[in-house]
Amino acid sequence: MNFNATNGMEDMEDVSLFDDKLLKEVDFTQCSSTYNPPISPTDPGEDLLMRSLRLSDYDKGFMVLLKQLTVVGDVSREQFEARFNSMLSCKNGYYIVVIEDKTCNLVIGAATLAVEQKFIHECSSRGRVEDVVVDKKYRGRQLGKLLLDYLTLLSRHVGCYKVSLECKDPVVNFYSNFGFVKEEGQNYMCRRF
Ligand SMILES: CC(C)(COP(=O)(O)OP(=O)(O)OC[C@H]1O[C@@H](n2cnc3c(N)ncnc32)[C@H](O)[C@@H]1OP(=O)(O)O)[C@@H](O)C(=O)NCCC(=O)NCCS
């Protein structure tokens, strides 16, 4: 990789976390939501581009956007690159989809599908949707819905037998729009360190 210390990532060969052809491959007509005006992963709206996370998104406000979701802390370019490459090396394990506003070259929406490989269910996989966020200025434009619908269809497309997520009370209704339900008898348990 060609890294120029003075210009940072601008001069660096860019890398995508997953192949953008997956945006076309997933049959978006299968999603149950309605869009008015109509938008889709390949056409998310004027001046917007939906695509895989790229290494260069460190310079396009990706980490700043995540701060609207939770504590991010100070993450250097080197740390970002190391984590990105680690995710990349887990082949078909991480699909981080972003929406870029091409007028300002900033990432304004993002969501993650993490795929966990299993032995059960005939060596199937389960998907986990994580870190869904749309920049405050862009909310209410169906972009959260677009990210969620896309990742839900993608999880099926890549062979997951189920997809799940954890969320706070205020967004339960948001996620229930996409067929996510609180399953009876199932409990989310967590131990924090
Ligand atoms: C939740 C979030 C991603 C929604 O993004 P958005 O782009 O504003 O959502 P959309 O415009 O696509 O809304 C889609 C639908 O969900 C509804 N919706 C949006 N936010 C909602 C919420 N918090 N609770 C319930 N419904 C909600 C909208 O009214 C809309 O309904 P409609 O299709 O009937 O018109 C965004 O508010 C956000 O980033 N919040 C902060 C981060 C966060 O809480 N993420 C979830 C972490 S678990």
Side-chain angles (χ1 to χ4, degrees):
M1 215 170 266
N2 175 24
F3 184 72
N4 178 324
T6 49
N7 291 327
M9 229 161 252
E10 284 163 21
D11 284 0
M12 201 171 178
E13 187 190 323
D14 208 357
V15 184
S16 289
L17 190 58
F18 68 89
D19 194 331
D20 281 322
K21 76 177 185 204
L22 273 175
L23 286 148
K24 288 197 191 113
E25 271 180 25
V26 169
D27 182 4
F28 202 66
T29 63
Q30 296 295 311
C31 95
S32 50
S33 303
T34 50
Y35 287 85
N36 184 21
I39 56 171
S40 68
T42 50
D43 187 9
E46 200 179 346
D47 296 323
L48 299 179
L49 172 69
M50 195 159 147
R51 57 170 174 75
S52 162
L53 180 74
R54 295 177 188 156
L55 207 43
S56 59
D57 287 330
Y58 182 84
D59 292 318
K60 292 190 171 184
F62 174 65
M63 300 301 281
V64 178
L65 176 69
L66 292 184
K67 290 182 182 179
Q68 293 187 32
L69 185 65
T70 190
V71 177
V72 176
D74 293 328
V75 177
S76 69
R77 179 191 298 277
E78 288 69 28
Q79 286 173 307
F80 178 80
E81 188 184 335
R83 179 47 48 96
F84 183 101
N85 286 328
S86 169
M87 288 181 178
L88 192 63
S89 70
C90 302
K91 210 165 168 277
N92 306 325
Y94 293 91
Y95 300 86
I96 302 181
V97 65
V98 302
I99 299 174
E100 178 183 352
D101 183 339
K102 291 185 285 179
T103 62
C104 52
N105 299 321
L106 287 175
V107 172
I108 56 90
T112 297
L113 171 70
V115 175
E116 189 181 312
Q117 296 187 48
K118 297 281 195 184
F119 285 114
I120 60 170
H121 293 280
E122 296 172 327
C123 291
S124 190
S125 303
R126 88 173 268 185
R128 293 177 194 272
V129 169
E130 300 272 1
D131 304 339
V132 179
V133 60
V134 172
D135 182 283
K136 282 193 180 83
K137 293 197 290 281
Y138 295 79
R139 288 183 196 164
R141 289 173 54 175
Q142 310 182 97
L143 299 176
K145 183 158 76 171
L146 185 65
L147 291 165
L148 243 293
D149 273 331
Y150 177 67
L151 286 192
T152 306
L153 290 169
L154 179 64
S155 65
R156 199 160 183 189
H157 183 79
V158 299
C160 295
Y161 76 97
K162 72 174 180 185
V163 59
S164 64
L165 56 84
E166 292 151 22
C167 69
K168 299 203 173 101
D169 287 343
V171 281
V172 167
N173 288 340
F174 172 72
Y175 287 121
S176 61
N177 291 330
F178 308 96
F180 288 87
V181 290
K182 283 189 189 178
E183 291 193 324
E184 206 163 316
Q186 297 289 327
N187 296 291
Y188 160 66
M189 296 174 76
C190 173
R191 185 170 163 188
R192 291 186 187 266
F193 300 104

